[in-house]
Amino acid sequence: MKTPISLWMDDPAIQSQARPRLESNLSVDVAIIGAGFTGLWTAYYLKKHNPSLTIAIVEAEYAGFGASGRNGGWLIGGLMGEDQLLSTLPEDERRNKRQLLFSIPDEVAAVLHQEQIDCHYRKGGVIYAAARYSEQEVRLRQWLDELYHTGCTEADFAWLAPEALSDKVNVSQGLGAIYSPHCATIQPARLVQGLAEAVERLGVTIYELSPVTDWQPGRLTTSAGQVEAQWIVPAVEGYATSLSTLGRYQIPVQSMIVATAPIGEAIWQSIGLHQGEAFADNSRMVTYAQRTKDNRLVFGTRGGYRFGSRLRHDFQLSAQEVAERRTLLEALFPVLKNIELTHGWGGNLGMARAFQPHMLCDEENGIALAGGYGGEGVGASNLAGRTLAELITGQTTQLTEQPWVIKGSASRHLRRWEPEPLRWLGYRLILAALSREEVVLSNLETSQWRRRLAVVLSDQLEKLMD
Ligand SMILES: Cc1cc2nc3c(=O)[nH]c(=O)nc-3n(C[C@H](O)[C@H](O)[C@H](O)COP(=O)(O)OP(=O)(O)OC[C@H]3O[C@@H](n4cnc5c(N)ncnc54)[C@H](O)[C@@H]3O)c2cc1C
């Protein structure tokens, strides 16, 4: 099995374009740290608002090296934790804000069209399925009730009974699913490459192989030069620990993926996903899958957290990490038993303590940042780029007045993670409960009371983290 940065980066269409390193001092209007989706979208919309702005992006490795070039390619019209973010608002406001989130894939599609970026965009919606045990159905139905209760309609989230589910995808125990049309799938490395080229056409300079070693209001420092800027935009998400102070608010969590070899049409006829729907098995294993343009199945699940928020650099998956993903994949799609897995990889993503993303503008210190997307950052980073661009250019618009927008300093407004070893112990405890729950529930012979106990324990531990 290959372990490149990702299947996506292994695409012959991805050029390893040599970009300059930062080798002298510079002065610009906006200095962005990190050339992932957040940094690139922010630069893109800034230039669209004000073409005269001078912008430098300073990247430690190369554009797309981080999660943006490695993810599962779900472009979701939503944010992690949005139900909670919107819960206290009046119904009409909640509906407007949901529409704004739902429209993210269409906004991305419009830019793809304008900038002629081919990243295999397909808006086939998303299926969250109860596909292995009955508790999944119960949980999904509860979630659907909550969605309807907070003003969503069947047009946004519909229940698929087993027959309707099997029309879209054939899973081993298809008990039902929630289907939402507000999601597209993409080849993410192609989007990074297309965006990087688009911002360069607009006059932005991207410096690669230039890790930022220090930053403060008005200045960032690398080993070979400094950039002075009116605005500094740290856009490092899962890598927040690489910049002093930011790691208090955002910790790295790893997620891991495998990709099958291209699958023949006869097998796809039996699996489905004909419209390019994103697919998840609704469990605490946090699975996500997509059928790629070249007819592979890309399948990822929740990963880990390392003591002291250490980043993981080596994503050569262990035999156990591959086996865990294969077991789940084959449980969902028995027709894929013993299928060849050609690629395995992973990446660091950023988790905020509030388990919600933030888009923050500290006008006094000239700092704008976004992150904490928690594994749902492909669409969220587009919204973040648009929002930060409007905040930096001093506009007050619909985007800048949202519950995920924070005006003021990070130290005053972002929740801090607990110090170690509490952070790690908390994670281990929750992981143990969630893994136990998975073992108990996926064994259909387990007695009812043990199933109930496992669910209650996991629910309580998750609540404790809030
Ligand atoms: C395996 C995996 C699967 C995922 N699947 C999905 C999915 O299907 N859908 C979804 O919505 N989200 C998904 N996510 C999350 C999503 O990919 C991220 O939220 C999103 O890409 C974050 O973009 P970003 O630009 O903020 O960060 P990144 O893409 O991580 O970019 C940060 C950049 O900053 C650079 N950097 C770091 N430190 C420094 C420094 N000191 N100096 C200079 N540069 C620095 C890094 O090299 C990197 O290029 C997934 C994440 C992972 C890891």
Side-chain angles (χ1 to χ4, degrees):
M1 188 195 300
K2 278 193 182 179
T3 307
I5 290 290
S6 65
L7 166 75
W8 319 117
M9 284 287 191
D10 213 16
D11 182 333
I14 302 298
Q15 323 273 330
S16 49
Q17 185 177 337
R19 294 199 167 91
R21 293 171 195 246
L22 182 73
E23 281 176 330
S24 56
N25 294 344
L26 275 186
S27 178
V28 290
D29 296 318
V30 184
I32 297 173
I33 311 173
F37 289 144
T38 303
L40 293 167
W41 279 122
T42 304
Y44 181 79
Y45 287 107
L46 275 170
K47 275 294 200 182
K48 289 285 166 179
H49 285 303
N50 183 350
S52 70
L53 283 175
T54 53
I55 303 176
I57 303 181
V58 184
E59 162 59 46
E61 299 286 341
Y62 49 85
F65 173 81
S68 300
R70 301 165 181 259
N71 56 71
W74 283 32
L75 170 49
I76 310 166
L79 297 177
M80 182 198 193
E82 71 185 50
D83 299 344
Q84 210 174 345
L85 276 161
L86 303 180
S87 63
T88 55
L89 301 174
E91 194 171 329
D92 55 336
E93 264 192 63
R94 213 163 36 211
R95 200 172 305 121
N96 285 342
K97 292 178 192 310
R98 286 234 196 243
Q99 289 308 324
L100 173 69
L101 298 178
F102 291 156
S103 70
I104 292 173
D106 294 342
E107 165 64 22
V108 173
V111 177
L112 299 180
H113 181 70
Q114 190 174 346
E115 302 297 337
Q116 305 269 292
I117 300 172
D118 175 10
C119 65
H120 303 169
Y121 176 100
R122 274 205 293 181
K123 194 173 172 205
V126 54
I127 300 163
Y128 301 98
R132 290 180 300 126
Y133 42 83
S134 59
E135 285 79 1
Q136 294 178 302
E137 183 184 350
V138 174
R139 208 179 289 158
L140 279 173
R141 285 189 183 274
Q142 277 167 357
W143 181 34
L144 193 61
D145 282 349
E146 282 162 30
L147 287 167
Y148 289 163
H149 188 67
T150 57
C152 292
T153 67
E154 232 186 316
D156 301 319
F157 296 95
W159 182 255
L160 300 181
E163 209 167 273
L165 171 61
S166 68
D167 285 346
K168 286 194 178 289
V169 59
N170 252 310
V171 277
S172 58
Q173 312 264 341
L175 299 170
I178 294 178
Y179 172 76
S180 168
H182 305 298
C183 184
T185 53
I186 58 162
Q187 200 286 35
R190 282 173 169 248
L191 178 55
V192 174
Q193 176 169 285
L195 278 179
E197 289 169 359
V199 299
E200 286 174 326
R201 282 195 297 275
L202 292 170
V204 174
T205 309
I206 303 175
Y207 297 94
E208 294 188 333
L209 297 172
S210 306
V212 172
T213 51
D214 188 33
W215 72 292
Q216 55 185 278
R219 183 186 312 146
L220 61 81
T221 305
T222 71
S223 63
Q226 289 191 336
V227 183
E228 298 208 334
Q230 200 183 334
W231 284 92
I232 303 283
V233 181
V236 293
E237 235 265 319
Y239 298 81
T241 46
S242 79
L243 294 181
S244 65
T245 69
L246 272 191
R248 293 173 193 159
Y249 313 111
Q250 223 162 265
I251 58 170
V253 171
Q254 290 80 38
S255 186
M256 270 84 84
I257 315 187
V258 292
T260 68
I263 298 169
E265 191 46 39
I267 295 184
W268 276 118
Q269 279 304 327
S270 75
I271 294 179
L273 299 179
H274 301 299
Q275 310 303 319
E277 298 90 339
F279 171 82
D281 156 58
N282 183 263
S283 77
R284 288 193 246 241
M285 296 306 290
V286 192
T287 62
Y288 47 95
Q290 73 147 296
R291 175 178 177 173
T292 63
K293 191 170 181 203
D294 65 348
N295 281 320
R296 299 164 187 268
L297 190 74
V298 163
F299 183 77
T301 73
R302 184 192 66 202
Y305 167 74
R306 310 179 110 200
F307 186 84
S309 294
R310 265 186 314 126
L311 287 163
R312 179 165 169 179
H313 297 289
D314 171 12
F315 279 104
Q316 174 134 27
L317 304 194
S318 68
Q320 189 188 341
E321 287 169 337
V322 175
E324 283 166 4
R325 281 148 192 88
R326 178 183 281 285
T327 304
L328 259 177
L329 178 74
E330 292 182 358
L332 289 165
F333 303 106
V335 66
L336 295 182
K337 195 156 183 59
N338 297 326
I339 184 91
E340 183 193 357
L341 300 177
T342 57
H343 294 72
W345 72 96
N348 298 293
L349 58 94
M351 191 67 78
R353 182 60 185 86
F355 299 109
Q356 294 162 0
H358 46 262
M359 299 167 198
L360 178 144
C361 179
D362 175 358
E363 212 179 332
E364 204 180 313
N365 289 302
I367 293 168
L369 56 86
Y373 309 130
E376 299 187 14
V378 176
S381 56
N382 169 271
L383 182 69
R386 280 187 272 156
T387 306
L388 295 189
E390 297 195 351
L391 289 163
I392 290 170
T393 51
Q395 302 177 53
T396 303
T397 66
Q398 188 203 12
L399 288 183
T400 64
E401 308 304 305
Q402 296 295 339
W404 44 87
V405 173
I406 297 170
K407 294 176 185 168
S409 69
S411 61
R412 287 192 71 172
H413 297 280
L414 294 184
R415 234 174 117 184
R416 288 178 185 216
W417 279 96
E418 290 75 3
E420 293 290 18
L422 285 181
R423 220 185 267 178
W424 185 79
L425 286 171
Y427 166 77
R428 297 302 305 178
L429 188 66
I430 289 182
L431 189 71
L434 301 190
S435 303
R436 181 78 202 133
E437 184 201 59
E438 177 63 23
V439 171
V440 169
L441 299 185
S442 54
N443 176 359
L444 301 180
E445 307 288 300
T446 315
S447 63
Q448 278 309 315
W449 73 267
R450 287 185 63 203
R451 303 180 79 83
R452 186 78 206 114
L453 188 66
V455 172
V456 169
L457 191 65
S458 297
D459 282 347
Q460 291 310 317
L461 278 171
E462 277 195 342
K463 273 197 196 123
L464 213 68
M465 285 294 286
D466 283 349

